[in-house]
Amino acid sequence: MTGEIRLGNEFSEVVVEPVQTRNGVRLRISVPASGHQIMLCPLELEALTWQDHEFFTQLLATPRGPEEEEP
């Protein structure tokens, strides 16, 4: 397995690295600035490729989750 890859720009930096688990290899994606991370299996990664850019645009519109509506 290869080591980590750091990707960044003026807005964010992420670290991507393969991790061996009891259930096989996962890809860990982490954000050093916030401490957030996720580990994705190959099927979850494949599912990302099924999305178009509009999907990610919608995710970034509310990155912390949907805002609650006023009653």
Side-chain angles (χ1 to χ4, degrees), residues 50-65:
W50 305 335
Q51 310 309 315
D52 59 16
H53 285 280
E54 180 61 29
F55 172 80
F56 294 102
T57 299
Q58 291 174 4
L59 284 178
L60 292 172
T62 55
R64 304 280 187 255

Side-chain angles (χ1 to χ4, degrees), residues 1-35:
M1 256 187 271
T2 62
E4 70 180 29
I5 297 173
R6 289 183 174 264
L7 302 169
N9 62 18
E10 64 272 22
F11 302 109
S12 183
E13 179 186 33
V14 297
V15 178
V16 180
E17 59 188 321
V19 177
Q20 182 66 48
T21 71
R22 292 182 301 195
N23 296 319
V25 177
R26 302 291 185 260
L27 188 68
R28 179 171 40 212
I29 303 171
S30 60
V31 180
S34 69

Side-chain angles (χ1 to χ4, degrees), residues 43-52 56:
L43 183 57
E44 292 168 322
L45 289 167
E46 180 184 345
L48 288 176
T49 69
W50 305 335
Q51 310 309 315
D52 59 16
F56 294 102

